[in-house]
């Protein structure tokens, strides 16, 4: 299998049951890096805890989510 370098990056967080500010920070850094590569980091199927923490930290507008 090869990876298509032109594709955006999707991260499925549906099974996440623990998520901290460090996780949000890591995703934000990854999103910035992806943007520098002209790509989009998409959060797919965020679990309830992920959605709540993104809302509390105000990062839901910075991170692309597919819900």
């Amino acid at each position: 299998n090869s990876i298509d370098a032109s594709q955006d990056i999707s991260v499925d967080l549906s099974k996440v049951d623990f998520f901290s500010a460090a996780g949000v920070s890591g995703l934000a850094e990854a999103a910035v890096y992806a943007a520098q590569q002209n790509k989009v980091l998409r959060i797919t199927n965020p679990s309830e805890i992920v959605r709540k923490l993104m809302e509390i930290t105000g990062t839901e507008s910075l991170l692309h989510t597919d819900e």
Side-chain angles (χ1 to χ4, degrees), residues 17-66:
D17 59 6
F18 177 81
F19 201 65
S20 69
V24 173
S25 177
L27 287 175
E29 287 181 34
V32 169
Y33 180 77
Q36 291 171 343
Q37 306 303 313
N38 297 317
K39 306 209 180 313
V40 175
L41 176 74
R42 296 193 186 285
I43 308 303
T44 60
N45 306 312
S47 67
E48 183 68 23
I49 189 72
V50 171
R51 278 189 269 123
K52 283 183 180 179
L53 192 55
M54 287 174 61
E55 182 179 322
I56 289 168
T57 60
T59 54
E60 73 273 9
S61 62
L62 301 174
L63 298 171
H64 298 274
T65 59
D66 294 337

